[in-house]
């Protein structure tokens, strides 16, 4: 209903799909989760693994762009049939470029590795940790974020 929620909704959809592909690539069922309640036709596991990244990647990018006036009122429009806020084409391009830059940012975000990786690679490593936790039945060691 407002520009911020429009941005985070789009961002969450992007990151959910990114994780969906990574999960399927490891042979896991993205529809069988561990934290969220399973819903028909909803990739619950992708939603579970997305939790760690929502604020770090999506919320911060949306806030940064709005507070820094990289996106302005004219970059959004309201739907005719639905009272929702959408991005104009140029605003969409700016947002996607900013998100992609964030996904490629090298960092030392993960505590269990001692070198920098992009956030996109960090998501790969998170899925790998989840697989190890399942295989070894040792969630505390491999997935400390899930049990916090």
């Amino acid at each position: 209903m407002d520009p911020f929620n429009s941005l985070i909704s789009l961002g969450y959809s992007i990151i959910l799909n990114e994780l969906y592909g990574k999960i399927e690539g490891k042979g896991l069922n993205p529809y069988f989760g561990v934290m969220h309640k399973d819903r028909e036709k909803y990739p619950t596991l992708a939603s579970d693994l997305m939790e760690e990244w929502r604020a770090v990647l999506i919320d911060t990018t949306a806030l940064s762009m709005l507070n820094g006036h990289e996106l302005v009122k004219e970059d959004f429009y309201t739907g005719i049939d639905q009272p929702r806020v959408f991005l104009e084409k140029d605003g969409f391009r700016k947002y996607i470029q900013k998100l992609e830059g964030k996904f490629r940012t090298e960092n030392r975000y993960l505590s269990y590795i001692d070198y920098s990786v992009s956030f996109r690679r960090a998501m790969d490593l998170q899925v790998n940790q989840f697989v190890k936790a399942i295989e070894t039945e040792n969630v505390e060691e491999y997935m400390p974020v899930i049990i916090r």
Side-chain angles (χ1 to χ4, degrees):
M1 299 292 286
D2 59 74
F4 176 72
N5 281 295
S6 178
L7 292 175
I8 64 171
S9 178
L10 174 59
Y12 294 167
S13 294
I14 291 168
I15 203 165
L16 184 78
N17 283 293
E18 181 107 5
L19 285 164
Y20 183 101
K22 293 174 187 314
I23 291 164
E24 269 202 336
K26 292 293 180 182
L28 299 175
N29 182 347
Y31 295 92
F32 185 70
V34 294
M35 292 189 321
H36 292 93
K37 184 178 179 182
D38 289 333
R39 297 189 330 228
E40 187 175 336
K41 298 182 182 178
Y42 183 76
T44 311
L45 181 56
S47 187
D48 290 348
L49 296 180
M50 180 177 78
E51 289 300 321
E52 181 174 359
W53 306 108
R54 289 165 44 129
V56 173
L57 296 173
I58 306 305
D59 299 2
T60 57
T61 301
L63 283 170
S64 169
M65 292 189 80
L66 293 172
N67 288 338
H69 305 288
E70 294 174 71
L71 290 173
V72 293
K73 185 177 180 180
E74 292 74 31
D75 289 314
F76 298 90
Y77 68 96
T78 303
I80 295 170
D81 297 335
Q82 306 165 350
R84 295 186 180 139
V85 175
F86 302 95
L87 274 169
E88 293 284 358
K89 185 178 180 179
D90 191 49
F92 179 79
R93 182 190 51 75
K94 287 188 247 182
Y95 184 58
I96 295 302
Q97 285 177 339
K98 185 80 166 197
L99 270 180
E100 183 58 31
K102 185 79 169 193
F103 280 32
R104 292 180 181 196
T105 300
E106 295 275 328
N107 62 80
R108 289 181 172 250
Y109 176 76
L110 298 175
S111 62
Y112 51 87
I113 59 171
D114 62 352
Y115 52 92
S116 294
V117 296
S118 70
F119 279 111
R120 181 168 279 123
R121 178 69 180 127
M123 287 188 278
D124 286 328
L125 294 171
Q126 177 200 45
V127 173
N128 290 344
Q129 288 294 98
F130 186 76
V131 169
K132 286 179 187 175
I134 292 169
E135 290 173 348
T136 64
E137 297 180 16
N138 190 349
V139 176
E140 288 91 11
E141 180 180 350
Y142 290 107
M143 293 301 293
V145 173
I146 284 183
I147 60 167
R148 279 190 213 160

